[in-house]
Amino acid sequence: METTATEAATPEARVLDAAGTLFYGRGIQAVGMDAIRAASGVSLKRLYQLYPSKDVLVEACLRRRDARWRDALAGYADARPAGPERVMAVFDWLHQWFEEPDFRGCAFVNSFGELGAASETVAAVARDHKDAFRRYLTGLVTGAGAPAALADQLALLAEGAIVTAAVSGGAEPALRAKEAARVLLEAAVAPTRS
């Protein structure tokens, strides 16, 4: 999820990069616009021209993160053969993500926990992200010959793994969730015995 050289040259990209890193690492409320200005190298005047309020910037950061996160997951999983292997690839991708040194859990859960009760925008963006992830899983699950309802169960496994990995500081929850997902998927596609 790196920024291209051309994109990095724009003040907007520098602000989004800096704000995204700071919000994810420290929390939204702990980061002021001045810290974003300093980290991005964009003047405070220009920063407010691009993003008239911190709320607008938070939404832009979350929407950008959502697109990048989902694109990275789909790029990884969709490169696998269609069917059960793609479903399992989701958990392999989560394992790789959990091993990243700056992994701090789900930015959408973190943001919702921090501001969801006070910010309908943050709550809506978090819901949109989770709904999009569930829809993506639904496509993978039905492509593997399983009922669409299995996607809800697998989404819960993935979400639980994300939270557990963030709290424990280890990537192992993705592998445990993958084991459970495999059992559920095999049971869902097994021929019905009379």
Side-chain angles (χ1 to χ4, degrees):
M1 294 196 281
E2 293 183 16
T3 305
T4 64
T6 304
E7 186 182 11
T10 69
E12 183 175 17
R14 292 196 328 260
V15 168
L16 289 173
D17 286 345
T21 299
L22 292 169
F23 291 156
Y24 186 62
R26 296 186 198 168
I28 294 168
Q29 294 182 49
V31 175
M33 294 297 265
D34 197 51
I36 295 165
R37 177 207 51 79
S40 68
V42 174
S43 73
L44 205 53
K45 180 180 179 181
R46 182 70 177 130
L47 174 58
Y48 278 108
Q49 287 172 342
L50 293 167
Y51 302 99
S53 70
K54 187 175 176 182
D55 290 343
V56 172
L57 178 56
V58 167
E59 180 180 8
C61 284
L62 288 173
R63 295 224 181 262
R64 181 185 196 216
R65 185 175 193 92
D66 169 60
R68 289 178 167 191
W69 190 91
R70 290 189 297 116
D71 286 349
L73 171 59
Y76 183 89
D78 293 352
R80 305 306 181 271
E85 196 171 328
R86 278 193 188 161
V87 177
M88 295 301 106
V90 169
F91 297 92
D92 293 334
W93 183 83
L94 290 174
H95 185 261
Q96 288 182 0
W97 178 38
F98 299 168
E99 289 183 320
E100 292 178 5
D102 66 343
F103 175 73
R104 302 286 180 271
C106 175
F108 302 92
V109 169
N110 297 347
S111 299
F112 182 83
E114 192 175 352
L115 297 173
S119 171
E120 180 51 38
T121 301
V122 167
V125 172
R127 280 191 295 271
D128 290 348
H129 173 75
K130 297 306 180 185
D131 288 345
F133 177 55
R134 188 184 39 74
R135 283 191 309 274
Y136 178 69
L137 281 175
T138 300
L140 295 182
V141 163
T142 58
L150 179 62
D152 289 336
Q153 296 167 339
L154 298 185
L156 288 173
L157 284 173
E159 296 296 344
I162 293 167
V163 171
T164 304
V167 171
S168 71
E172 189 67 23
L175 301 179
R176 289 198 178 99
K178 181 180 178 181
E179 292 169 14
R182 185 181 315 282
V183 169
L184 290 171
L185 183 61
E186 287 173 359
V189 298
T192 307
R193 294 190 174 114
S194 20

